[in-house]
């Protein structure tokens, strides 16, 4: 009899625990995900700088676009840093330079009417520095503007950063004929394959030496392991590769930046394994993804296991690009807590509005992606696309979950409203479309494995869409 009472009490307790767990889960599911936005925004604070100014002219800089000002700019940055910080001024005029390395407490200010033009000579980006290239660590040419393990740094001003890349300089290294490459010219293909092998074998950084003779294009702006970063008001044109590429950074603000460059892999802003990032009121007209959130490729992402998280994308305009807001494909460290809202997009060459791309060679978990209040003129392929089969397959099944799109309006859609290609063992989970209207699409869906889908007032071509989709 005593044993029966014990079993009974155990069953009652177990039932209470399940009930409490279900109540807690229901309460969590009912919480508005946007309620966390303000607490994340409070973590992102732009750095401030001492009221000191250091004109590069006082350190021997000469305008005109012929004199190489690398040493003069470096001297001004060092003096500013040693004085406790302030503003390094690039005055009106065209100033040619090689690699610019920022130091702590320095604001590189590109004045109105100033053009900081970067050399086309690869030797001006030596010595090699620690970098990430398509999510893989290596020693490579210095990015055009670079900072390593610095804090409180900025690039501001309404002037122009000109990467000076074109069909004859930097772009042909991608190996594509439509970007100027011809038989007999150097290209990145061999070095890229070698770097993939080194990453797979997990060779140490000191053995991953590239640079001269390898044709891996440097990024335009790359703060690496920095904290308190501000990029504000500047215009970027003619980038060799990715434009803004903060890596392993904390507290990053990118505000009112204009990026116009249609070269190969000319992504606009690629925060990689970064935490607490605000991308606000920016303009993107790019040759690749407008915003692409990364966290490392394959072993170099899974090993550290550092996600990109707490990222706010607000008030931006996207024109051309493979995707407006993209997560991946170098996303092996995962991504979470991504908020994108009050956006406008419009281009027949814009492929997707929201895209999450990964593979089983990447792995990683992408979760808590929230988008709302987006107005789109037109796009080419899909408003929302999930792809777990991007590039190679492997043994690390990725996960995508908790993606909610609200108040999306598309005037003239492309092929599909929603595309999804996932694993049966790892379906896209908890995908919601709420108060969305997409007109002008050819077909509503091109999808396979999805679970926990919820549509509410989701209208395509004038017809409200339910889940599961009606069988034809």
């Amino acid at each position: 009899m005593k044993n029966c009472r014990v079993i009974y009490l155990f069953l009652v307790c177990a039932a209470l625990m399940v009930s409490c767990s279900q109540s807690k889960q229901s309460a969590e599911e009912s919480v508005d995900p946007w309620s966390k936005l303000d607490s994340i925004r409070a973590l992102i604070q732009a750095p401030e700088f001492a009221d000191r100014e250091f004109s590069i002219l006082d350190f021997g800089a000469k305008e005109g676009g012929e004199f190489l000002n690398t040493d003069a700019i470096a001297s001004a940055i060092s003096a500013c840093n040693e004085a406790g910080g302030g503003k390094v001024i690039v005055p009106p005029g065209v100033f040619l330079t090689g690699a610019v390395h920022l130091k702590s407490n320095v604001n590189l200010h590109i004045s109105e009417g100033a053009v900081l033009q970067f050399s086309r000579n690869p030797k001006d980006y030596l010595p090699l520095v620690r970098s990430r290239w398509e999510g893989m660590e290596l020693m490579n040419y210095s990015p055009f503007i670079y900072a390593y393990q610095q804090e409180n740094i900025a690039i501001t001003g309404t002037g122009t950063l000109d990467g000076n890349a074109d069909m004859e300089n930097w772009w042909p290294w991608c190996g594509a004929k439509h970007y100027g490459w011809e038989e007999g010219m150097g290209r990145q293909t061999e070095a890229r394959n070698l770097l993939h092998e080194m990453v797979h074998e997990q060779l140490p950084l000191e053995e991953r030496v590239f640079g001269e003779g390898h044709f891996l294009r440097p990024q335009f702006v790359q703060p690496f392991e920095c904290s308190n970063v501000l990029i504000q008001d500047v215009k970027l044109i003619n980038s060799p590769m990715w434009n803004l590429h903060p890596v392993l950074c904390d507290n990053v603000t990118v505000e009112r930046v204009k990026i116009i460059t249609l070269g190969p892999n000319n992504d606009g802003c690629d925060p990689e394994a970064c935490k607490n990032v605000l991308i606000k009121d920016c303009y993107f007209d790019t040759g690749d993804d407008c915003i692409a959130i990364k966290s490392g490729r394959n072993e170099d992402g899974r090993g550290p296991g550092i996600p990109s998280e707490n990222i706010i994308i607000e008030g931006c305009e996207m024109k051309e690009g493979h995707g407006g807001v993209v997560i991946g494909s170098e996303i092996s460290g995962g991504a979470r807590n991504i908020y994108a809202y009050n956006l406008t997009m419009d281009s027949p060459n814009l492929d997707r509005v929201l895209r999450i791309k990964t593979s089983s060679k990447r792995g990683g978990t992408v979760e808590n992606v929230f988008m709302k209040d987006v107005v789109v003129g037109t796009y080419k392929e899909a408003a929302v696309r999930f792809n777990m089969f991007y590039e190679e397959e492997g043994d690390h099944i990725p996960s995508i979950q908790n993606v909610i799109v609200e108040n999306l309006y598309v005037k003239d859609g492309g092929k599909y409203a929603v595309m999804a290609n996932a694993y049966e063992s790892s379906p896209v989970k908890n995908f919601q479309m709420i108060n969305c209207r997409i007109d002008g699409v050819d077909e509503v869906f091109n999808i396979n494995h999805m679970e926990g889908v919820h549509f509410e007032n989701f209208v395509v071509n004038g017809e409200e869409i339910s889940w599961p989709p009606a069988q034809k």
Side-chain angles (χ1 to χ4, degrees), residues 297-298 302 329-330 332 358-364 391-392:
R297 180 189 289 258
N298 305 345
R302 290 192 302 272
S329 68
E330 300 86 356
S332 300
T358 182
S359 76
S360 57
K361 194 164 187 179
R362 305 277 194 275
E391 295 185 348
E392 313 96 330

Side-chain angles (χ1 to χ4, degrees), residues 162 289 347 442 448:
D162 182 359
D289 296 325
S347 173
D442 297 335
N448 51 26

